[in-house]
Amino acid sequence: MEITPSRKRFSVTILEETFKTQKSLIERVKPIFEYLVLQKNQKFIQAFVSTYDKVVRQKKEIKRVKYALNENIPSYFRQSKCLHVVFTDNTEITVSYKNVVSACFDPDGTALRNANNYKMQQYRLAIARDITEFRAFNIQNGCAECKVCFVDNWDSPMPHVDHCGDKEFRHLVADFEAQTDESDFAKYHRQHADLQMLCEPCNLRKGKS
């Protein structure tokens, strides 16, 4: 993969194809995720992920790239697909194609965002069991906003566990990092988090607001 030498790049070249915007690269990459199309575009997609820092750190040769569900995300998150980079020793890692695109044009900014996203994911992993248990015990109450029923309702939207009250999840993380008395985030979260059940549309509307 050939790239311009500056850290924030105005163009990216992959196998003699030049892209001047992130949108143009996304439009080239996204349509090839269908299985048969991806097999025909293996050379391009491998070149696409080859300079991503998460891949480079493996110091291994890429065998193939596939597009599948990300099983590393806790079960209480919405299941999503991502790129799986499989190496010649049959180990694999998952990467977001949007993060790879972003890193092509702005590697420094992407590295900072990835570090923050990884940190937040670790905090979410620490409370995954508590979130799952809360959902199991409270799912029969339905959505706290629109009152839709989640139980015995095949048409109901996906139930989400939402941080409500004065402290959203990001606020709890910031408060936890600012204090020095408690070192166990799961314990801190149990003491300070206010949770509720929301359906997916209500939770998305809340996020946008």
Side-chain angles (χ1 to χ4, degrees):
M1 177 176 176
E2 299 172 11
I3 52 179
T4 54
S6 61
R7 292 300 293 175
K8 196 163 186 178
R9 299 158 185 144
F10 297 98
S11 67
V12 172
T13 301
I14 304 175
L15 298 184
E16 300 182 353
E17 293 185 51
T18 299
F19 305 89
K20 294 185 177 181
T21 64
Q22 293 191 32
K23 182 180 179 181
S24 65
L25 182 51
I26 288 175
E27 289 175 347
R28 171 68 172 90
V29 171
K30 193 173 180 180
I32 70 178
F33 290 158
E34 184 181 345
Y35 178 76
L36 292 178
V37 180
L38 186 59
Q39 303 316 301
K40 295 179 181 178
N41 286 268
Q42 273 294 306
K43 188 175 181 180
F44 178 88
I45 204 70
Q46 289 184 30
F48 168 67
V49 302
S50 64
T51 60
Y52 189 52
D53 59 351
K54 187 176 179 181
V55 176
V56 172
R57 286 197 299 269
Q58 301 299 311
K59 298 180 180 180
K60 300 175 183 177
E61 183 180 352
I62 298 174
K63 180 178 181 181
R64 68 179 182 277
V65 178
K66 59 183 181 179
Y67 188 64
L69 286 175
N70 188 353
E71 298 176 351
N72 296 324
I73 299 297
S75 61
Y76 70 91
F77 287 113
R78 184 177 183 177
Q79 287 289 334
S80 60
K81 290 185 175 182
C82 65
L83 293 175
H84 294 243
V85 182
V86 183
F87 299 98
T88 52
D89 62 357
N90 290 323
T91 60
E92 68 178 66
I93 60 172
T94 58
V95 299
S96 161
Y97 78 90
K98 289 185 178 180
N99 284 348
V100 178
V101 169
S102 178
C104 286
F105 287 88
D106 184 11
D108 294 335
T110 303
L112 289 173
R113 288 190 293 272
N114 285 349
N116 184 66
N117 290 340
Y118 177 78
K119 179 187 73 172
M120 297 300 283
Q121 184 181 23
Q122 295 307 113
Y123 280 126
R124 290 191 180 277
L125 286 170
I127 64 170
R129 181 175 179 179
D130 290 344
I131 294 294
T132 301
E133 290 179 353
F134 179 89
R135 181 172 58 183
F137 283 119
N138 293 276
I139 195 169
Q140 70 276 4
N141 297 330
C143 176
E145 291 291 332
C146 70
K147 312 304 180 185
V148 67
C149 179
F150 297 128
V151 181
D152 298 326
N153 181 3
W154 293 104
D155 295 326
S156 66
M158 182 180 295
H160 288 203
V161 177
D162 172 62
H163 288 80
C164 57
D166 295 332
K167 301 289 185 181
E168 296 289 343
F169 181 75
R170 65 184 185 277
H171 301 139
L172 291 169
V173 170
D175 290 349
F176 173 75
E177 292 181 341
Q179 57 82 41
T180 57
D181 296 332
E182 180 60 64
S183 59
D184 185 341
F185 180 70
K187 180 179 178 181
Y188 183 88
H189 183 267
R190 292 186 205 108
Q191 294 171 343
H192 297 89
D194 189 7
L195 303 175
Q196 65 179 358
M197 295 298 302
L198 288 181
C199 67
E200 186 173 22
C202 286
N203 197 25
L204 291 175
R205 280 196 296 271
K206 177 185 174 184
K208 290 180 180 179
S209 64

